[in-house]
Amino acid sequence: MKLLIITLLIPISAFTTMAQTKGKTVVKKKTVVTTKKPVATAFAKNTLDSASYAFGISMAEGLKERGLTTLNYDLLVKGLRDVFTGNKVMLTSTVAQTSISKAFTQANKSKYTGNIAEGKAFLESNKKVAGVKTTASGLQYMVIKEGNGIKPKATDTVLAHYKGTLLNGKQFDSSYDRNEPLSLPLNNVIAGWTEGMQLMSTGSKYRLFIPYNLAYGERGAGQDIPPYSTLVFEIELLKVNGK
């Protein structure tokens, strides 16, 4: 009778076992392990439905990370459908790649309108500073010290000391800090350097104010030079090495 009473007192939802230890009745609860079922989705009838939607999420997240905020969704789906069903696509691979590149360029540009505006305002003001000259390309320069040696050509290699900064004064590179001048071919550097250094005689030291389109453009350079950055360089031409 005692065993029957103990059994009736155990909640129906709990599983129990009885064990006899030294003449006493001990009640032990079993550990109940529950497996969480995946949340059902009303739109997904099968794995293909879920995967299709997941592909859309993955694509959108990747595109948003690269600056795109919207697409023509009807044409996006048409492009997918045409390829999967074997229909003739409406763009050649070359035109398609060009269109994608332009879309990313425009999206990226919209993220850096502040840099573009800052550079434009700076150059507009800077060209009025005494001693600053502006070339047809938009490059600005100031002579710190004029040398009397030969001037390099675009095909020459030169030896130069330099320091580069952003408009806010942050330095991103300096051969002076390394105590080691740089030897480089003028036809393999940013356009602002190629043009600016051809203005310099050996022994000169110039300050160049380089618009983003003559510097690293829409891509920037590494972590230190953001896209669409106007740059300031102090350059000292030490030697022209010829071709």
Side-chain angles (χ1 to χ4, degrees):
M1 176 63 77
K2 184 177 180 182
L3 182 60
L4 178 60
I5 293 172
I6 292 174
T7 303
L8 291 174
L9 290 175
I10 299 172
I12 297 174
S13 59
F15 294 94
T16 62
T17 56
M18 305 295 181
Q20 297 292 331
T21 306
K22 296 183 180 181
K24 294 182 180 179
T25 301
V26 180
V27 180
K28 293 183 179 180
K29 289 186 178 181
K30 276 189 176 180
T31 303
V32 180
V33 179
T34 58
T35 304
K36 220 174 185 180
K37 294 183 179 179
V39 178
T41 51
F43 65 88
K45 298 178 181 179
N46 50 47
T47 300
L48 183 60
D49 287 353
S50 299
S52 298
Y53 187 69
F55 278 125
I57 293 173
S58 180
M59 288 171 60
E61 288 176 343
L63 294 173
K64 283 188 72 175
E65 284 180 3
R66 296 192 59 180
L68 287 175
T69 56
T70 188
L71 291 171
N72 184 321
Y73 307 115
D74 292 337
L75 287 177
L76 173 66
V77 172
K78 177 171 173 54
L80 291 168
R81 184 180 291 115
D82 285 347
V83 171
F84 275 110
T85 60
N87 289 342
K88 183 178 179 180
V89 295
M90 300 168 65
L91 300 176
T92 65
S93 58
T94 301
V95 173
Q97 288 301 318
T98 301
S99 300
I100 290 171
S101 179
K102 285 182 177 179
F104 281 131
T105 297
Q106 291 173 1
N108 191 48
K109 191 172 184 177
S110 66
K111 290 168 57 180
Y112 293 99
T113 52
N115 287 2
I116 297 170
E118 180 188 29
K120 184 177 180 180
F122 171 84
L123 293 170
E124 188 64 28
S125 174
N126 192 58
K127 70 182 182 182
K128 301 171 186 175
V129 174
V132 172
K133 298 179 181 179
T134 304
T135 70
S137 70
L139 174 71
Q140 295 181 357
Y141 68 95
M142 175 186 285
V143 178
I144 300 174
K145 182 181 79 171
E146 191 65 85
N148 55 14
I150 64 172
K151 291 183 178 181
K153 298 184 288 292
T155 53
D156 288 337
T157 296
V158 300
L159 185 69
H161 256 315
Y162 68 94
K163 178 180 74 172
T165 61
L166 303 177
L167 290 183
N168 62 10
K170 181 182 178 182
Q171 179 179 295
F172 53 81
D173 196 10
S174 173
S175 65
Y176 293 104
D177 289 354
R178 295 190 296 272
N179 197 29
E180 183 179 354
L182 181 66
S183 178
L184 51 90
L186 284 187
N187 59 4
N188 195 31
V189 291
I190 58 175
W193 269 54
T194 304
E195 179 183 356
M197 293 198 72
Q198 289 183 82
L199 302 172
M200 301 172 65
S201 301
T202 304
S204 295
K205 186 174 185 179
Y206 279 25
R207 182 173 292 124
L208 302 183
F209 308 93
I210 305 179
Y212 75 82
N213 59 301
L214 300 178
Y216 294 98
E218 69 219 26
R219 296 181 180 276
Q223 296 181 345
D224 295 324
I225 303 177
Y228 299 98
S229 291
T230 295
L231 305 178
V232 180
F233 282 95
E234 285 189 8
I235 304 177
E236 186 177 359
L237 178 57
L238 303 177
K239 185 179 179 182
V240 177
N241 296 321
K243 295 182 180 178

